[in-house]
Amino acid sequence: MYPTDTEEKKRPLNLAERIYQQLKNDIFDFQLLPGDRFSENEIARRMQASRTPVREALYRLERDGFVQVHFRSGWQVRPFDFRYFEDLYDVRTLLEVAAVKRLCGRAGLKEQLAGLLTLWCCHEGQRLNDSSLLAEMDEDFHFALLALSGNQEMAAIHRMVCERLRIIRRLDFTQQGRIKATYDEHSHILNLMLNGNAEEAAGFLSQHIDVSKNTVRHITLHRIQAAKSRYNINIRAD
């Protein structure tokens, strides 16, 4: 049986999506480091694909701000631009502070926050200690605040900003003590919200984000290489 026209049209799109997701994960997992260069042919061989879906995936990554194209020398993972990341953190802070202020004092807030309270206000013995998992949980915590605020456009912009910041946040979670601090700070934010302390909750949330933002100022290639090594060790251990 031969594939239909619709199936033929879908196939390269699905392959391009797979390549896009794999390359993005490689960047987030420190397999492709900021400044790394590569060609379309190298990616095509690795993905066992033609250059057409590879090129489509790469141009999408370029639009999303993860890679850059150099027409004489191929592609490059976007080098760290500290001002760019700090600007993204400023946008993230504005959105999250607005969301928290909307939520404080809302009727039925405890029920709406029930899942977050269970995850983050647990006893220390129940806390998880996997840095990769905690990085994802941390991101989901902040996504949930925006989702609960009820403004879908704010939530969509916030998700886009956070995705571009993901490599920074994963670096943040390689630091000793960051997991405990995240549990403590998230639980404190939630309790302030439940008590209706909008300004205090917003202020503490802003400080909480600043801790991660300050990570940007201390990023070095050595630190990224060390994070890559730790990540690979964890993968082999799993």
Side-chain angles (χ1 to χ4, degrees):
M1 180 181 294
Y2 294 100
T4 65
D5 289 342
T6 301
E7 289 170 338
E8 283 288 356
K9 289 177 182 177
K10 283 183 177 179
R11 191 168 295 167
L13 289 176
N14 290 338
L15 183 55
E17 174 68 23
R18 179 174 67 81
I19 295 168
Y20 168 84
Q21 293 295 342
Q22 181 60 58
L23 290 174
K24 191 162 64 170
N25 287 338
D26 286 347
I27 293 169
F28 293 152
D29 294 339
F30 313 114
Q31 303 307 300
L32 284 171
L33 301 180
D36 279 357
R37 291 180 179 270
F38 54 88
S39 69
E40 291 177 10
N41 284 335
E42 289 169 346
I43 300 300
R45 284 195 298 270
R46 179 181 154 203
M47 299 292 181
Q48 298 184 330
S50 69
R51 289 178 62 183
T52 299
V54 168
R55 187 178 296 115
E56 182 179 336
L58 288 171
Y59 277 115
R60 184 177 168 193
L61 287 165
E62 183 189 31
R63 290 194 301 272
D64 290 349
F66 295 109
V67 301
Q68 298 173 337
V69 61
H70 301 278
F71 292 105
R72 293 184 181 275
S73 56
W75 294 83
Q76 181 181 36
V77 179
R78 181 174 182 149
F80 270 108
D81 179 340
F82 301 114
R83 179 61 184 271
Y84 168 75
F85 285 120
E86 290 191 349
D87 287 349
L88 288 175
Y89 268 109
D90 288 344
V91 175
R92 179 188 163 198
T93 301
L94 288 171
L95 291 169
E96 293 193 27
V97 163
V100 163
K101 287 182 176 180
R102 279 180 170 223
L103 287 167
C104 285
R106 178 188 288 181
L109 181 60
K110 186 173 183 178
E111 288 72 25
Q112 294 175 52
L113 295 178
L116 296 178
L117 290 166
T118 299
L119 280 175
W120 297 104
C121 298
C122 57
H123 295 295
E124 286 200 24
Q126 298 174 301
R127 293 178 173 183
L128 302 175
N129 200 38
D130 182 318
S131 60
S132 296
L133 178 58
L134 261 293
E136 293 178 15
M137 288 172 57
D138 171 66
E139 196 170 66
D140 287 343
F141 170 84
H142 295 277
F143 286 160
L145 295 180
L146 267 292
L148 288 170
S149 75
N151 187 314
Q152 294 182 358
E153 294 304 316
M154 283 174 57
I157 294 169
H158 177 261
R159 185 172 288 271
M160 177 193 71
V161 168
C162 286
E163 186 166 75
R164 294 182 182 185
L165 288 169
R166 189 169 293 160
I167 189 170
I168 306 292
R169 297 174 75 179
R170 290 200 176 187
L171 275 173
D172 194 20
F173 274 90
T174 63
Q175 301 306 295
Q176 189 172 7
R178 191 66 217 137
I179 291 176
K180 180 182 185 304
T182 299
Y183 270 105
D184 292 343
E185 291 164 15
H186 283 188
S187 62
H188 188 56
I189 290 165
L190 291 170
N191 284 313
L192 288 172
M193 291 172 65
L194 288 177
N195 291 330
N197 297 327
E199 292 300 325
E200 193 174 349
F204 189 82
L205 173 66
S206 182
Q207 293 174 31
H208 170 71
I209 296 172
D210 274 346
V211 171
S212 184
K213 179 180 177 180
N214 289 336
T215 302
V216 174
R217 301 188 181 99
H218 302 288
I219 290 172
T220 63
L221 185 58
H222 173 76
R223 182 172 172 188
I224 298 167
Q225 290 281 8
K228 178 180 180 178
S229 298
R230 283 193 294 271
Y231 181 85
N232 287 337
I233 290 169
N234 288 337
I235 290 293
R236 288 195 293 271
D238 291 343

